[in-house]
Amino acid sequence: MRAVLATLALAALMTWAPARAEVLKFNDLPGWQADDHKAALATFLETCDLIDGADWRPLCNVAADAVGSDATARQFFELFFLPVSIGSPPALFTGYYEPEFAGSPVRTPRFAWPIYRRPPELRDGEEFLSRATIDNGALRGRGLEIAWLDDPVDVYFLQVQGSGRIKMPDGRTLRVGYAGRNGFEYRSVGQEMVRRGTHTIDQVSAQEIARYVRAGASDLLSINPSYVFFREIDLAPDRGPIGAMTRSITPMRSVAIDPAFTPLGAPVWIDKQGANPIRSLMIAQDTGGAIKGAQRADIFYGTGPAAGDAAGVIKDGGRMVVLLPIDRAYAMLDGL
């Protein structure tokens, strides 16, 4: 779900002609001066070496020398980047997190809902088996089960988030990450609830979807034919899950974007409105099946129930601004 090569993302950005792009000044970004630029730069350095492009490499070298203080970090971004607004605001910001669930390495009366490894015959970009077909047992008995959960809703939300931690009965914690998807387009369960007239758009949240499905609307999950497969990953407990750039992501500093518009690894200024506004520099280190468009972003809130509660209610407008190397920013505008 969140695994797109940085090279492909950058190529897409350079070949796509956006309907609207505008170079801004850093003074045009409300809250820019007050942000923690040192924290943003540390997150940028996590994946900077993976960004493909000759104009990024020297920036990565300079960045390593700029992490000493917030002042030097802010100067780094202001000296070597230009803020570019791509597409037409308002943006749509949502949130995601790394869930924690109880589970079992074997099927039991309680733990009866599997999460699967990637089938060897699965081919990226090709339709495989739909969610309904898999849920009806198409992969049963093949030994692809990684673990078993006690709730099909938990399995579904683990797939939506793309990674998670599973606490086994012996106290061990198994971490799983994205390994592939079945090739079907993602369909929003929340939008289906609105279409059916059971909810208004402002009533839909991750928490409400889970409550409503558990209350008897289990058929809703099958309207989304997209299905995600997992792999076991070995990470230190204090490290975030693996994002699309194959490195750990950082709470409140990593964001999932559409790589057709924003290069993976690029800094992005988030100006999120709503009940809890966010004005912060984050790094585009992840992608998602539902993240489509130039002004669309999914903010990583962290791990566990509290992060899930915070992320699940985010559905806010605002503006997203991409920080691009100066030459790249003007080259993109010249191509419009």
Side-chain angles (χ1 to χ4, degrees), residues 26 59 62-63 75-82 324-327:
F26 285 97
L59 299 184
V62 175
Q75 289 170 3
F76 166 77
F77 290 116
E78 292 177 349
L79 281 173
F80 297 107
F81 293 87
L82 284 176
L324 294 175
I326 294 172
D327 289 345

Side-chain angles (χ1 to χ4, degrees), residues 23 39 48 60 86 100 163 166 168 191 212 219 222 242 260 270:
V23 172
C48 190
C60 296
I86 301 173
E100 293 179 323
S163 62
I166 302 173
M168 298 298 184
Q191 289 180 7
Y212 186 69
D219 67 300
S222 64
I242 300 298
I270 301 299

Side-chain angles (χ1 to χ4, degrees), residues 177-192:
Y178 175 91
R181 55 188 292 270
N182 63 348
F184 285 82
E185 285 295 318
Y186 176 90
R187 287 189 60 193
S188 168
V189 169
Q191 289 180 7
E192 178 66 13

